[in-house]
Amino acid sequence: EDEQIVAEIMRRRFFPAVITHKAWEGFHFAGHEIRITEATDCYGAVVWPSALVLCYFLETNSKQYNLVDKNVIEIGAGTGLVSIVASLLGARVTATDLPELLGNLQHNVLQNTKLKCKHQPCAKELSWGIDLEKNFPRSSCHFDYIMAADVVYHHPFLDELLLTFDHLCKNDTVILWAMKFRLDKENQFVGRFQALFDLEVIFNFPSLNITLYKAMRKNRMKV
């Protein structure tokens, strides 16, 4: 079953028939052809398999996880593929990443969503752990979903990443997080994450070494 689903996910990706001066990859999600401009000199400017897993989940579980009119923020959005798919599925999306990635992110989001979405998504700078209350004040920012694909890897900002999850998450916020398991240091992040959030495995793909999690804040008020 794992290999069958993975094969279906990977079939959603296509490449240009003719090489052009600007590198791009194509994807089929949410009934649209999505073209993503990439850069090979930066981790955040390429599409990683975890993003494809999350996009496939959003599309194939759109009834259970109905995004129409929901407020969604993607952290570490990179090329913007997850944000684009969420927008095409009807969400109000804020795609975030580092300032040096914002230009390419804005380009991809605009190119693939203009006049196609109920709500036009926006791209916004977010450096994990920095100026969170200033840029995303708790009193006025409420997100129904936080989405993240491959934000945990060999980088020195895992503490800041956890702080960012914590700041953006309200009691009723759902986190959808796709993670590729690589090294023990990064894998230990899951244990630290579970100190703050209830974690549930939604999908597991051993052939890709990727797990898709659903998470919500611990000790949240029951309604």
Side-chain angles (χ1 to χ4, degrees):
E1 184 181 3
D2 164 45
E3 292 181 355
Q4 289 178 350
I5 297 176
V6 167
E8 169 59 24
I9 292 172
M10 293 308 165
R11 277 196 292 269
R12 301 303 185 90
R13 173 182 247 158
F14 66 93
F15 299 93
V18 179
I19 302 300
T20 63
H21 69 282
K22 186 174 287 189
W24 63 271
E25 286 187 65
F27 303 88
H28 291 289
F29 287 109
H32 290 269
E33 180 181 293
I34 300 167
R35 293 193 177 193
I36 296 293
T37 301
E38 299 184 320
T40 57
D41 59 347
C42 180
Y43 282 123
V46 296
V47 177
W48 299 100
S50 292
L52 301 187
V53 167
L54 184 47
C55 289
Y56 178 82
F57 175 81
L58 295 176
E59 181 188 75
T60 56
N61 293 270
S62 59
K63 290 185 178 179
Q64 183 179 359
Y65 293 86
N66 184 358
L67 298 184
V68 177
D69 298 332
K70 297 295 193 299
N71 291 317
V72 171
I73 186 169
E74 184 187 3
I75 61 174
T79 60
L81 180 61
V82 172
S83 289
I84 291 164
V85 172
S87 297
L88 293 171
L89 291 171
R92 296 185 181 92
V93 176
T94 303
T96 69
D97 215 312
L98 296 169
E100 59 266 30
L101 296 173
L102 215 55
N104 190 56
L105 175 58
Q106 288 173 325
H107 168 77
N108 283 328
V109 167
L110 181 62
Q111 175 179 269
N112 290 285
T113 62
K114 189 175 182 180
L115 303 179
K116 298 178 183 178
C117 297
K118 186 175 183 180
H119 308 287
Q120 185 60 42
C122 68
K124 187 172 179 178
E125 177 184 338
L126 172 54
S127 299
W128 297 338
I130 298 176
D131 292 333
L132 294 175
E133 181 58 29
K134 176 184 175 182
N135 296 324
F136 300 90
R138 289 180 184 268
S139 60
S140 58
C141 287
H142 179 277
F143 297 106
D144 300 294
Y145 290 93
I146 299 171
M147 297 187 184
D150 234 353
V151 293
V152 178
Y153 54 90
H154 185 59
H155 62 71
F157 304 109
L158 294 178
D159 289 341
E160 292 82 355
L161 174 60
L162 188 59
L163 182 65
T164 301
F165 272 124
D166 184 46
H167 179 84
L168 296 174
C169 191
K170 296 288 201 297
N171 284 340
D172 59 346
T173 302
V174 174
I175 298 171
L176 295 175
W177 165 32
M179 175 177 174
K180 183 176 178 68
F181 284 83
R182 296 181 176 91
L183 303 173
D184 285 343
K185 179 183 177 183
E186 290 113 59
N187 298 349
Q188 290 169 9
F189 179 86
V190 176
R192 297 174 56 205
F193 186 89
Q194 286 180 291
L196 297 175
F197 302 98
D198 292 319
L199 200 60
E200 173 189 347
V201 174
I202 301 178
F203 263 150
N204 192 31
F205 299 104
S207 61
L208 294 174
N209 213 21
I210 291 173
T211 300
L212 176 59
Y213 294 107
K214 171 187 174 182
M216 296 187 74
R217 182 178 291 284
K218 281 184 178 291
N219 305 316
R220 56 191 178 275
M221 297 290 292
K222 306 294 184 182
V223 178

